[in-house]
Amino acid sequence: SKDAEAILGLSSLDPIVDSLIVLVAVALLIFLIGAIVAARHIAKVPTIRLVSNKQPPELMIARGLTWHLFNSHIWSTGQDAAAVIKNELQLLLPGIKIFLDVDDLDDIGALEEYIARSQMILFFLSKGYFRSTNCLREVRSSLTMRKPLVLVQEAHPAKGGTLEELRAECPEDLQAGVFEANWRLAVWHRIEDFQLVSLKIIAEALLLRMPNHCRMSSLPLFVPGDASTQTLVFSKPVVLWASPANPGAAELARELARAFPGLTVSTVADVGSSAAAHPSMASRGLARRTRRAGDVTHMLLYLNQTTWL
């Protein structure tokens, strides 16, 4: 007491101690509230379910293995997507074990061992992937060990490209094992709903290689609340016109009609021979036909390599 009075000018340390206790209690309360909010948020995150029984799938791993999935990618064009894939799969499939170099790599010389300890291998195909020495080590060891694969193609032009372009980078002796073995392929987009479709493709491929599902050829999955679980309908009747002069348009229009109630397809030939010869004039023919019939509400223009020929 005398020391406190001499040093701090206080007759007692009790006020300081009381203040510290209050501060610690407030900090613990804030931490507890944050933990409760985080736990409630995690509890509300939808997870992948089996269509057959609406229950989450059981994750299994073969004896002697460590990871359900090994994420093979090149840093320069695939690191960001690889991290997203791991994080999202961990939310969608609680308990899944995924190897990602930034989290699990202890020895670059042991890549082949990590592959051996993984149940399935994901090749994230982006620019430069097949020019990376370490990625090629992972590819060759995966094929040598006959590991099941799932391919993910980067769709962004600056980071990926077409499957043909990516295959052209692959050494010829590896092309058949990677591209001709009918492995599941998911295209990775930067749009959340499209990413969920890709994640479900990856998850299905992964689950089909687990001991409890390995004899099945397919395993339909869904995520509560995703677009595939919702019935989308038009608020009013829609008549979609697909010009016979636009190759592929009629087939796509009919596919849309099968998927969406309330949509019908018209493929009546365009008015005038000039429009039939030049698909770029199809919108003019549509305008004339709409004024005449009054039934077409939308036009489908299907763009491909033969559209403007």
Side-chain angles (χ1 to χ4, degrees):
S1 176
K2 291 181 179 180
D3 292 339
E5 185 175 3
I7 297 173
L8 302 175
L10 300 173
S11 60
S12 173
L13 291 177
D14 291 344
I16 295 178
V17 173
D18 292 341
S19 298
L20 290 175
I21 292 174
V22 171
L23 287 174
V24 171
V26 170
L28 289 174
L29 180 61
I30 293 174
F31 175 79
L32 180 61
I33 293 173
I36 293 173
V37 171
R40 294 186 65 180
H41 173 72
I42 292 174
K44 292 181 179 179
V45 173
T47 58
I48 283 179
R49 307 295 180 95
L50 299 173
V51 171
S52 58
N53 59 14
K54 308 297 187 294
Q55 297 298 313
E58 181 183 1
L59 300 181
M60 296 185 67
I61 193 166
R63 186 185 301 273
L65 301 182
T66 305
W67 297 281
H68 295 102
L69 185 68
F70 182 102
N71 199 332
S72 175
H73 64 284
I74 184 171
W75 270 57
S76 59
T77 56
Q79 179 63 25
D80 59 334
V84 171
I85 290 172
K86 176 175 180 176
N87 293 337
E88 292 298 317
L89 283 176
Q90 287 179 324
L91 292 174
L92 292 168
L93 291 171
I96 190 172
K97 297 178 181 179
I98 301 176
F99 181 99
L100 186 64
D101 51 8
V102 295
D103 300 325
D104 304 291
L105 181 66
D106 294 323
D107 180 6
I108 192 66
L111 283 178
E112 290 77 9
E113 179 185 343
Y114 296 135
I115 293 288
R117 292 164 55 192
S118 300
Q119 190 156 259
M120 189 173 202
I121 316 299
L122 183 152
F123 291 171
F124 189 82
L125 306 180
S126 59
K127 283 185 178 178
Y129 177 78
F130 290 109
R131 293 197 292 267
S132 164
T133 299
N134 288 326
C135 289
L136 285 179
R137 284 175 59 194
E138 294 165 0
V139 172
R140 292 187 185 280
S141 58
S142 298
L143 296 178
T144 299
M145 298 178 195
R146 299 183 180 276
K147 291 287 184 176
L149 309 178
V150 58
L151 310 180
V152 181
Q153 174 195 350
E154 170 61 74
H156 195 287
K159 294 189 174 187
T162 66
L163 205 58
E164 291 74 18
E165 291 170 340
L166 294 168
R167 175 170 179 154
E169 293 185 356
C170 181
E172 290 188 9
D173 63 311
L174 300 176
Q175 289 185 10
V178 176
F179 295 99
E180 299 175 14
N182 296 319
W183 302 118
R184 296 289 180 94
L185 172 67
V187 179
W188 189 253
H189 294 277
R190 304 287 162 163
I191 301 172
E192 185 177 353
D193 286 337
F194 291 166
Q195 287 183 356
L196 182 56
V197 173
S198 300
L199 290 166
K200 287 194 294 184
I201 292 174
I202 297 170
E204 182 182 10
L206 179 63
L207 291 167
L208 286 172
R209 294 293 176 169
M210 293 186 179
N212 49 335
H213 298 298
C214 61
R215 295 186 179 183
M216 303 175 66
S217 59
S218 65
L219 193 66
L221 307 172
F222 76 98
V223 176
D226 73 7
S228 67
T229 65
Q230 303 174 26
T231 301
L232 304 178
V233 296
F234 293 100
S235 58
K236 56 184 178 180
V238 173
V239 179
L240 184 64
W241 181 64
S243 171
N246 183 191
E251 291 80 1
L252 178 57
R254 293 190 185 99
E255 184 176 345
L256 289 171
R258 288 192 293 270
F260 295 99
L263 186 150
T264 56
V265 176
S266 172
T267 56
V268 174
D270 197 0
V271 177
S273 59
S274 60
H278 302 283
S280 61
M281 298 179 65
S283 59
R284 301 178 190 176
L286 173 62
R288 289 195 297 270
R289 185 174 180 277
T290 301
R291 285 194 298 268
R292 184 179 69 251
D295 56 350
V296 172
T297 59
H298 296 77
M299 170 187 172
L300 173 65
L301 178 58
Y302 183 66
L303 300 177
N304 55 39
Q305 66 271 22
T306 62
T307 301
W308 310 112
L309 296 180

